[in-house]
Amino acid sequence: STLPRLGLRPLSGSLTITNGNLNLMDNSEVMVVEQGITIANDADAQLTTNSNIFASGTITVNTSSVLAITGGILTLNDHGNQTVDLAGKRIFNLTINNLGIANDDSVVIANNSQLLLSGALIITNGTLNLMDNTEAMIVGSGVTLADDADAIITSNTTLTVSGTITTGASASWAITGATLILNGGTRRQALDVNS
């Protein structure tokens, strides 16, 4: 299993919120979900947290729902391709650690979803696929790709990054027809896209 050994009991199925607030924030609770998360298209369907979430499976956040991830890290750790639709909602830190084999380890950002991070993006294994649906990305606190041939970002649209960009020697950016905007907000911004 790819689940962290934290003494936690994972939710072995899926999590669906149709109405009400799953509040993990008040007590800073960690959550592990093995088969996907769905938040219904209702303003009363809410997930709020400032702690770590480990999630496999499809993640679907509908437009009217509330997703407030204001701290911690959302770690995507499936064993195969994973579709993520955050409906343009901003989250904090994101780690992609997809343990599928090559060509079956992508995190595909869904159509009209975007990827908006107020924190950092870390890819240890797997492909962050922004290309299939031409989805933009904004990262507030840097991008790190591990030294692994399976740590990849693919894009054909606008990527806006603040903070340091670090790319391991074996990792890669597959950017075709994309624009990389560096807006670090400081006088210096370190950029290493390797090759």
Side-chain angles (χ1 to χ4, degrees), residues 44-57:
D44 290 325
Q46 303 178 13
L47 172 59
T48 58
T49 185
N50 56 6
S51 297
N52 294 337
I53 296 176
F54 298 87
S56 299

Side-chain angles (χ1 to χ4, degrees), residues 73 93-97 117 120-125 142-146:
I73 301 169
N93 297 314
L94 176 65
T95 294
I96 294 174
N97 187 33
L117 306 177
L121 170 64
I122 298 173
I123 302 176
T124 57
N125 197 78
V143 174
T144 301
L145 277 67

Side-chain angles (χ1 to χ4, degrees), residues 3 10-17 22 31-39 47 53-61 74-79 81-86:
L3 298 173
L11 180 60
S12 59
S14 61
L15 169 67
T16 301
I17 302 173
L22 176 56
M31 181 171 72
V32 179
V33 181
E34 291 187 337
Q35 293 185 25
I37 298 171
T38 301
I39 307 178
L47 172 59
I53 296 176
F54 298 87
S56 299
T58 298
I59 298 177
T60 303
V61 178
L74 172 59
T75 299
L76 303 176
N77 59 351
D78 212 319
H79 275 281
N81 291 338
Q82 189 171 8
T83 301
V84 175
D85 183 349
L86 299 175

Side-chain angles (χ1 to χ4, degrees), residues 89-124:
K89 304 205 187 315
R90 188 175 297 274
I91 64 173
F92 198 59
N93 297 314
L94 176 65
T95 294
I96 294 174
N97 187 33
N98 190 306
L99 299 177
I101 58 174
N103 300 319
D104 190 26
D105 65 353
S106 292
V107 171
V108 179
I109 303 303
N111 193 36
N112 297 318
S113 178
Q114 300 182 68
L115 182 59
L116 308 176
L117 306 177
S118 54
L121 170 64
I122 298 173
I123 302 176
T124 57

Side-chain angles (χ1 to χ4, degrees), residues 130-185:
L130 299 160
M131 186 174 292
D132 282 4
N133 296 304
T134 314
E135 293 303 320
M137 178 177 78
I138 298 175
V139 179
S141 294
V143 174
T144 301
L145 277 67
D147 187 8
D148 189 313
D150 290 325
I152 302 167
I153 294 177
T154 65
S155 177
N156 55 3
T157 188
T158 304
L159 308 174
T160 304
V161 179
S162 299
T164 299
I165 296 175
T166 305
T167 306
S170 299
S172 61
W173 294 68
I175 298 178
T176 56
T179 301
L180 177 60
I181 299 172
L182 305 177
N183 65 345

